[in-house]
Amino acid sequence: MQDRSLSRRTILASATVVAASATGIVGVTATPAVAHKRDNRLKKIISKMSIEAKIGQLFVPYFYGTSATSPSQFDQDRNLRELGVRTVAELIAKYHIGGVIYFSGWANNVQDPRQIADLTNGVQRASLALPTPIPSLISIDQEHGANVRIGSGATQLPGAMALGAGRSLSDARTAGRISGTELATLGIHQNFAPVADVNVNPANPIINVRSFGADAREVGRMVAAQVTGYQQVGVVACAKHFPGHGDTGEDSHTELPVITHTREEWDRIDAPPFKAAIAAGVDSIMTAHLQVPALDPSNEPATLSPRILQGVLRDELGFDGVIVTDALNMRGVRTKYGDDRVPVLALKAGADQLLFPPDIDVAYNGVLAAVRSGEITEDRLDESVLRILRVKDKVGLLSGSPYISPKEVDRVVGARKHQLAAARIAERTTTLLVNEDEALPLRRRQKKLLVVGASPAFPTDDTRTTVPELAKAFDELGYSTTHLATGRAPDAAKVDEAVAAARGRDAVVVTTDNVDATSTQRTLVSRLLATGIPVVHLAVRNPYDIAHLGDIPASLVSYCWTEVELRAAARVIAGRVEPRGKLPVPIQRADDPAAVLFRSGHGLSYDD
């Protein structure tokens, strides 16, 4: 079936932003009459689209390279091998793609703001060159904290659990606004954040500090604040991962987890943040690849479950926005069905956007075959396309030029006022767990420091690691600092080296990352304590580390190891600012998980 010609002028004339543009505020809820009028205009666009173009609107694939039309030869070869095309522009043309997702690192889409701006404009040129010229909805996972895609040049903000420790709705909303403003300036109008999962399992390998905490009500309040922040500045927020990924001991990237909550437990623990997001007007919700027998006894993965997506999310919770699948290349959704059937079943379950198919050709043609056979009706296809066009309309993609200005990028992205706000927010999140005999803040005479311990690389820049960056932060505060990275599994020789390095120092700051009962980080900490030199412990990711470390005179949590959190922690340790964070999760004893070592809400100040 051939695309019917539809001019860009026709698109713009029939899809102006209603309500939002009239008020100058993106995110305003349209009245029923205005919404009806808007939908009629969008349906006129849909009526002129071919089946192929409609299917293309549903897909959000990955691609390789920093340019839409001229990536490196290496990235062209990877695209050709995995996607059957050399560039993302060719991908958009071949499959009528409605949106793409940017990744740093392995996909090589993200280097710096100016490069992202050029890539975005190239993607939009390719989209507007289609017979049905509808701009792309460009997506990203910019959660901040432990999960960051845009690092260099953009403002780094505290992640979810850090914000949960800050307990400030204003800070959460401001973080969303800052992040959203910079993303929108880069032409990225869908962010797969915030995480709405309630992390009630300390051993959760995939959510953990990406969650705001363990209290469903507090998580819901923070989620709603972030949704508001993002959507006030024209970015589609996405609450994830429905129906809740906070109580798993498995990673759905590699396994199919099972949530064993009863329906009452789900209503009490998992549902509130999603209800809060919906009440705040969230534009999209992402599914989870896991089984929830209490919601669907058939044990279909939630992404493929009509009972969960249509029955619970749409019918019970009343959500009529865009349902996005989690990445379809994850093992959790590929355990029972082939890659041609997974996107079909996701659509039949109620999903709208099909994220990251492992083989775009197989997935696209699987949906096309299902539509042609009548398994998926064209009316059902139109429902999802309409929802996607609504959000494109809402963020202004259908009301004017989708291209972005490099000068505006230079002015907005990483702006000093954003950096200062991020630093102040981070300072309000650092949490002081233990402070025996007023070990902190450091005394004026304690100027010679050793920074030692686990040194994970920054999420978007593996040339920068935790220990030297923390040492640098102390140096900038006037300390004389040496440092030694020992890793997450220091051997006996490395521990001996650390003990030797501590000699002659006035104090030691030791970092830990994901300590468990068998971790040799425990040996490192105990040997440093045995030197008699004052030791300050900083958990740079999980607040749960302290449960495995015994008696420590001074212990803090930063909830992540990016620059903004490390600098905040250094300022707290130095006494330049007060510790204000409060634990957003309880910490159980390692030897008796039924007993609480530190309750949720615990957090010391220097006045205590």
Side-chain angles (χ1 to χ4, degrees), residues 118-166:
D118 290 340
L119 174 60
T120 294
N121 285 338
V123 166
Q124 297 298 10
R125 277 191 292 271
S127 299
L128 295 183
L130 292 172
T132 308
I134 299 174
S136 283
L137 187 65
I138 298 173
S139 305
I140 201 163
D141 274 314
Q142 186 79 342
E143 296 173 12
H144 292 281
N147 202 21
V148 179
R149 307 303 181 195
I150 305 174
S152 178
T155 302
Q156 302 303 299
L157 290 144
M161 193 168 284
L163 290 171

Side-chain angles (χ1 to χ4, degrees), residues 310-331:
Q310 185 63 49
V312 178
L313 182 54
R314 293 234 188 263
D315 296 342
E316 291 187 27
L317 301 190
F319 179 65
D320 193 37
V322 173
I323 296 179
V324 190
T325 70
D326 205 345
L328 297 182
N329 72 325
M330 294 165 61
R331 183 63 185 162

